[in-house]
């Protein structure tokens, strides 16, 4: 739990679902934090994943946006894993219910040095 008082003077607090250290594996991070969000997303719920940390803490690596080249499967980040899971789940669901149509809308932004990249 993190607490503070912003300029408005009203106290705020928030919690983290997970925190990881440098020895954490990409697959474990994905399984622990994102995998069930993707299932919920396909069930009709909104889902948001926020990576927060100081410069150099590994957010870009964990998201999987650092390189567009070929990356070893064990080093794939959240975004490539989520995309794979989404399309695998859709294919599986469509094979069980051929009349079902899926429309997938996804947004992605990166804020780097206080500049938005989309």
């Amino acid at each position: 739990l993190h607490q503070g008082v912003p300029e408005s003077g009203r106290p705020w607090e928030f919690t983290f679902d997970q925190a990881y250290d440098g020895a954490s594996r990409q697959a474990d991070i994905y399984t622990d934090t994102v995998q069930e969000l993707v299932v919920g997303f396909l069930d009709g719920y909104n889902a948001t994943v926020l990576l927060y940390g100081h410069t150099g803490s590994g957010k870009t690596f964990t998201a999987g946006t650092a390189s567009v080249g070929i990356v070893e499967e064990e080093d794939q980040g959240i975004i490539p894993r989520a995309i794979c899971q989404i399309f695998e789940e859709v294919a599986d669901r469509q094979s069980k219910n051929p009349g079902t149509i899926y429309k997938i809308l996804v947004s992605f932004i990166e804020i780097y040095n206080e500049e938005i990249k989309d």
Side-chain angles (χ1 to χ4, degrees):
L1 178 66
H2 181 79
Q3 298 178 333
V5 179
E7 291 179 20
S8 68
R10 293 183 311 226
W12 48 262
E13 63 183 42
F14 58 91
T15 60
F16 296 94
D17 292 333
Q18 303 288 336
Y20 294 93
D21 63 18
S24 300
R25 295 178 46 240
Q26 294 281 58
D28 294 337
I29 294 170
Y30 186 80
T31 301
D32 292 348
T33 60
V34 180
Q35 193 167 26
E36 289 302 313
L37 289 176
V38 170
V39 173
F41 164 73
L42 292 171
D43 288 338
Y45 295 94
N46 291 329
T48 300
V49 177
L50 174 69
L51 285 75
Y52 179 82
H54 61 81
T55 300
S57 63
K59 299 175 300 295
T60 301
F61 176 75
T62 301
T65 61
S67 174
V68 294
I70 297 173
V71 176
E72 296 292 328
E73 185 174 341
E74 68 185 46
D75 290 333
Q76 287 181 349
I78 289 171
I79 294 170
R81 289 174 192 271
I83 291 169
C84 287
Q85 183 185 355
I86 288 167
F87 286 100
E88 287 170 0
E89 290 273 342
V90 166
D92 183 56
R93 290 174 184 219
Q94 284 182 321
S95 71
K96 293 176 183 172
N97 298 300
T100 304
I101 297 172
Y102 286 86
K103 180 178 180 180
I104 300 169
L105 303 172
V106 179
S107 298
F108 168 76
I109 66 167
E110 178 179 3
I111 301 173
Y112 184 78
N113 285 336
E114 299 182 21
E115 291 184 22
I116 295 175
K117 299 179 178 185
D118 59 357

